[in-house]
Amino acid sequence: MKYNSEVVNIGGDALSLYEGIKSLILFNDSVLDESLKDIALVHKSSQLLEDIAVGDEIRIGENELYVTAVGDVALETFKNIGHLTMRFTGSGEVNLPGEIAVFGELKNIKIGDKFTIK
């Protein structure tokens, strides 16, 4: 297990971004900016034990997502503030250096869901 956490808040617009542009923004619970909380899935701070890499499985509750690309600064922001922008493209490339691309779909997400990377 590379990362083990739990969803503690789901911003009012977080799932709208997924529906609209197939993105999910995550921050850990150290984020203070209310406007960021409103667009993000917030998870408990935890330690990333190994770098996120292509082929890793991300689970959020019952959702299984697979990493297909990792941007140049995505690991740094995730380690510092638990921030990821996941793009649901399944592509082998990212558009922005802070993104990761994933393959899979989001169904139900709720507060208390486990958030893991392995």
Side-chain angles (χ1 to χ4, degrees), residues 39-55:
I39 62 168
L41 183 144
V42 180
H43 56 96
K44 259 188 210 175
S45 296
S46 187
Q47 183 179 5
L48 182 64
L49 300 177
E50 285 182 53
D51 287 351
I52 300 168
V54 171

Side-chain angles (χ1 to χ4, degrees), residues 23-114:
S23 290
L24 183 65
I25 297 172
L26 293 91
F27 282 96
N28 69 25
D29 53 10
S30 70
V31 67
L32 300 176
D33 186 322
E34 290 299 321
S35 62
L36 292 178
K37 286 181 183 179
D38 194 48
I39 62 168
L41 183 144
V42 180
H43 56 96
K44 259 188 210 175
S45 296
S46 187
Q47 183 179 5
L48 182 64
L49 300 177
E50 285 182 53
D51 287 351
I52 300 168
V54 171
D56 284 356
E57 177 187 73
I58 297 174
R59 280 185 167 251
I60 304 171
E62 297 178 11
N63 299 281
E64 295 178 11
L65 312 169
Y66 297 91
V67 177
T68 57
V70 179
D72 293 340
V73 298
L75 291 173
E76 180 182 336
T77 59
F78 190 72
K79 288 175 184 176
N80 291 336
I81 55 174
H83 170 61
L84 278 180
T85 298
M86 290 195 292
R87 297 288 306 223
F88 290 76
T89 62
S91 174
E93 298 179 5
V94 293
N95 292 327
L96 298 170
E99 294 179 344
I100 65 167
V102 296
F103 174 79
E105 293 182 16
L106 284 182
K107 297 173 184 120
N108 296 332
I109 297 178
K110 59 189 178 305
I111 293 172
D113 278 352
K114 296 293 179 198

